[in-house]
Amino acid sequence: MVELKTDTSIDAMHAAGQTVGRALTAVRQAADVGVPLLELDEVAREVLREAGASSPFLGYRPSFAPTPFPAVICVSVNDAIVHGIPTRYRLRDGDLVSVDCGAVLDGWVGDSALSFTVGRPRPADVRLIETAERALAAGIEAAVVGNRIGDIAHAVGRVCRAAGYGIPQGFGGHGVGRRMHEDPDVPNEGRPGRGLPLRPGMVLAIEPMLIASGKDAYHAAGDGWTLRTSDGSRAAHVEHTVAITDAGPRVLTERR
């Protein structure tokens, strides 16, 4: 069932989203060659603590997971697409890093992700990240009253495929509200004009995931959480929480 949020609820979700935005900005600023991933998780934890927020990631255990998630951010490096667990791994020059973060504030959830490089960037990684951001922008632009979920999916997928990138099937965006994952699913590829109509009050996480090689195959790593590209190619992941309003899409997790 899709819950429609009131304007007051959307404002409250914006406050949660701003906390997420601050956490992601702080993590990106802290990320450098030699920094362990666990330190980035602690940076995000401190931002959440200062805001009086909690994490929807910490302790989360969906049906596919062998153990509860042990951190407040997912950090996926190089060939990891999503759901990477922060470890003692120290960032290296040229690493491609995707960070996903959530916050719960006053009972409402914000969810967002960004990708960036550490040290000297590879031109191919820069193109991959830029395309992911363009796909996200296209999805947000399609998130208007009168469109359907398929219009968002088509907008995201068209940008990804036109650039020659792969899309991991079965993973994409979702509704957001009191819980991190709510109805409806928001795929990263689909047919325009199909799916659930978009109505004012719907709040969606739109999150493109791109595989550099153009292939779609992936597998779960030994930790049961991290999804990696099957051919070892690099991946990028970006995300915003977006409210559908009569005035157009409202991004709730913008970063300053």
Side-chain angles (χ1 to χ4, degrees):
M1 183 179 70
V2 177
E3 177 190 1
L4 300 180
K5 280 72 176 180
T6 65
D7 290 345
T8 300
S9 297
I10 290 173
D11 286 342
M13 293 189 70
H14 182 255
Q18 291 303 283
T19 300
V20 176
R22 290 195 299 274
L24 287 173
T25 297
V27 167
R28 183 169 187 172
Q29 291 173 344
D32 202 354
V33 175
V35 174
L37 302 185
L38 281 171
E39 185 173 315
L40 300 183
D41 184 66
E42 185 53 43
V43 168
R45 288 176 189 250
E46 180 59 26
V47 174
L48 296 185
R49 280 194 291 266
E50 290 178 354
S54 60
S55 170
F57 290 15
L58 186 63
Y60 182 58
R61 189 178 183 181
S63 59
F64 67 80
T67 57
F69 196 75
V72 304
I73 57 172
C74 299
V75 188
S76 305
V77 180
N78 296 333
D79 66 325
I81 307 168
V82 288
H83 303 163
I85 296 175
T87 65
R88 292 186 177 88
Y89 174 84
R90 293 180 179 272
L91 291 170
R92 300 172 183 172
D93 187 42
D95 276 348
L96 193 167
V97 184
S98 298
V99 180
D100 193 353
C101 182
V104 183
L105 187 65
D106 296 327
W108 294 102
V109 176
D111 187 11
S112 185
L114 80 167
S115 290
F116 55 89
T117 58
V118 173
R120 291 168 294 184
R122 300 182 183 184
D125 291 343
V126 173
R127 290 193 297 270
L128 180 66
I129 294 169
E130 288 177 346
T131 304
E133 293 286 358
R134 286 196 292 111
L136 177 58
I140 293 171
E141 186 177 359
V144 296
V145 175
N147 273 357
R148 293 175 176 265
I149 291 292
D151 294 301
I152 297 175
H154 177 70
V156 170
R158 181 174 54 188
V159 172
C160 299
R161 295 300 189 189
Y165 296 129
I167 300 172
Q169 300 301 307
F171 286 87
H174 48 86
V176 185
R178 293 284 187 182
R179 293 176 292 113
M180 179 168 57
H181 292 134
E182 297 185 350
D183 292 332
D185 291 334
V186 186
N188 285 325
E189 194 168 30
R191 297 178 62 182
R194 299 296 182 92
L196 192 70
L198 302 181
R199 299 173 57 191
M202 293 174 65
V203 180
L204 309 174
I206 302 173
E207 49 179 320
M209 305 168 191
L210 284 65
I211 298 175
S213 66
K215 298 179 180 179
D216 298 349
Y218 63 90
H219 66 274
D223 61 21
W225 274 99
T226 309
L227 298 184
R228 296 190 178 276
T229 62
S230 292
D231 58 7
S233 62
R234 296 194 172 204
H237 171 216
V238 295
E239 174 187 19
H240 272 309
T241 298
V242 181
I244 311 298
T245 78
D246 285 320
R250 180 183 177 188
V251 176
L252 305 181
T253 48
E254 70 266 37
R255 297 181 289 276
R256 296 185 174 91

